[in-house]
Amino acid sequence: MRYICGIILALLVSHTALAGEEETIRIARIRLIIDNAEYEWQEAGIVPGDDGETGEAPVLKPETIVSFISFRPNQRLGIGRLEKRCLDTERRIRDSGYVYEAAVTIVPPRKNPGERSIVVEVLSGFLWRYGGGNAWAMIGKTGLGGERAEARLYAGYNRSGLRYLHSRVGGIPLALGGQFFYYGPGEYQGKGYGDRENRFEAVATTGWYIHPGLFTGIDTAQSGFGFSAPGLFSVQPFAVWHGYLNAGVNSDWGINGRIFWYPLLQESKYEARSYIHIGINDNFTVALSAGGGYAPGELPETALFDLYYTEDRSVRSGYRAAELRGDRYVLGSAELRWNFFSFNFAAVFNCTLQAYLFADTGKLDGGIEPRQPLVDAFGGGLRVLFANPVFAYFSFSYGLNHEGKGRFVCTGTAGF
């Protein structure tokens, strides 16, 4: 591990040194084109285009698009760094799900070679959201009022509730939101809350975007409460980073960390995860993920780390649920993904079928049962991916462990 860290540090140092030698240029103008409405982003704020009018009001406000941009007016950058940030911004806007198309273009200088203008052009997308899972469904909408805000409603046999998040409150990178769920009346996998009347969960989120790719905040959660039990209260500081690679198409990486503090128990636990996607070409991707969790004290069963039910962080083979719960763990996963068929559903909704091979390897300690030295899974699966403008994903897999025990897993995600 220390050799890997050394290589990464060396690359960062060399990159910084090269960036420092590069001649800097000034971003003289940033022009925004949103659904044919034009704006100019200046240091003092966002104003209508040169003609003084924006035309028909766009679906999304310009402030919403600006929140995804990683450069600003009058900023000085090396041309190489500017090109990288423009490419990252274009990818970030596309991945946001707010738009059908996005393009970020650097305009060559006309007079001053030390200045550049940048044009950010987007077409507002389909803002309704649909999804679901085992015995429940979801409907929601994003871009509420043209803002960076979304609301989702869940209903079903084992999960009902709502979720809301506004990621640019008051025109600043402040995020406020919350969610409230009832996991019943049917059994809900992974929620060991016991009595049916104590299956409520509430979470309040406060966060701040330090950078368009870096989000930090605190979740305050009350889980497993109801009519006869107060449940488990926790305060959860977290940080999430998502960035892009130039290694190829569909190449990105991310890392996130979270602290769980239980004030009434005077206990805590810690968790961190990372992932990288390396696109070989438009259809093949290598995906890697690694993470771990640690609890220094004794936690109740409902607070243990769970590698059985947790989506995109599980061992996908035939262990019992109790064998994959503990107060310490490490887990690594690898997938080879192949998009082998794409078609349009109902003329406008794109659907991609993705086959994948996977391997999971991990180790757990503590918990309610003796631990096995190693837990693993090897298998394959199929994903049905409804991308822009639907953003609904379904993954099906079957895996075997080294003892030959298998398990079928179905999740409502596109994988880690």
Side-chain angles (χ1 to χ4, degrees), residues 366-406:
I368 58 178
E369 287 197 2
R371 298 293 106 207
Q372 298 201 26
L374 190 71
V375 291
D376 52 32
F378 306 92
L382 173 71
R383 289 194 174 101
V384 182
L385 308 174
F386 291 95
N388 194 335
V390 179
F391 300 99
Y393 312 106
F394 305 93
S395 296
F396 310 91
S397 69
Y398 187 83
L400 297 169
N401 59 25
H402 65 275
E403 298 177 342
K405 298 178 180 179

Side-chain angles (χ1 to χ4, degrees), residues 79-97:
I79 188 63
R81 292 182 64 190
L82 178 59
E83 290 174 347
K84 175 68 166 59
R85 292 197 184 190
C86 287
L87 181 59
D88 290 353
T89 294
E90 184 176 296
R91 293 174 176 176
R92 188 178 299 113
I93 294 174
R94 288 179 177 175
D95 289 348
S96 70

Side-chain angles (χ1 to χ4, degrees), residues 218-356:
I218 297 177
D219 284 339
T220 304
Q222 185 77 27
S223 59
F225 69 94
F227 301 102
S228 63
L232 192 60
F233 176 73
S234 62
V235 178
Q236 304 174 20
F238 64 87
V240 180
W241 164 262
H242 179 236
Y244 295 92
L245 302 172
N246 291 332
V249 295
N250 304 320
S251 297
D252 62 337
W253 68 286
I255 185 170
N256 61 76
R258 183 177 290 264
I259 299 173
F260 300 78
W261 178 48
Y262 304 96
L264 300 181
L265 302 177
Q266 289 298 298
E267 297 287 353
S268 61
K269 67 179 183 181
Y270 312 88
E271 186 175 29
R273 298 178 62 202
S274 62
Y275 63 86
I276 184 171
H277 304 141
I278 302 175
I280 307 303
N281 55 37
D282 288 336
N283 296 320
F284 284 94
T285 302
V286 176
L288 305 173
S289 175
Y294 174 72
E298 294 186 5
L299 296 176
E301 181 180 348
T302 55
L304 295 175
F305 293 110
D306 177 12
L307 300 187
Y308 187 90
Y309 289 120
T310 306
E311 293 181 335
D312 300 332
R313 194 207 69 190
S314 63
V315 180
R316 294 165 282 185
S317 62
Y319 297 100
R320 292 179 293 109
E323 294 180 281
L324 295 178
R325 303 188 68 162
D327 51 26
R328 295 177 295 279
Y329 82 91
V330 292
L331 176 67
S333 296
E335 291 187 1
L336 177 60
R337 301 170 178 174
W338 173 36
N339 297 336
F340 66 91
F341 185 63
S342 294
F343 62 94
N344 286 330
F345 176 76
V348 294
F349 301 128
N350 178 264
C351 178
T352 297
L353 301 182
Q354 180 186 91
Y356 61 100

Side-chain angles (χ1 to χ4, degrees), residues 149-166:
E150 66 173 29
R152 303 193 179 195
L153 177 66
Y154 300 74
Y157 180 59
N158 53 19
R159 186 182 190 186
S160 298
L162 53 88
R163 173 181 294 162
Y164 175 82
L165 181 66
H166 194 312

Side-chain angles (χ1 to χ4, degrees), residues 120-153:
V120 180
E121 187 171 5
V122 301
L123 177 62
S124 299
F126 185 76
L127 301 179
W128 286 95
R129 297 290 180 265
Y130 306 96
N134 183 11
W136 56 270
M138 180 276 292
I139 183 172
K141 191 174 184 181
T142 192
L144 296 173
E147 302 276 357
R148 191 170 172 180
E150 66 173 29
R152 303 193 179 195
L153 177 66

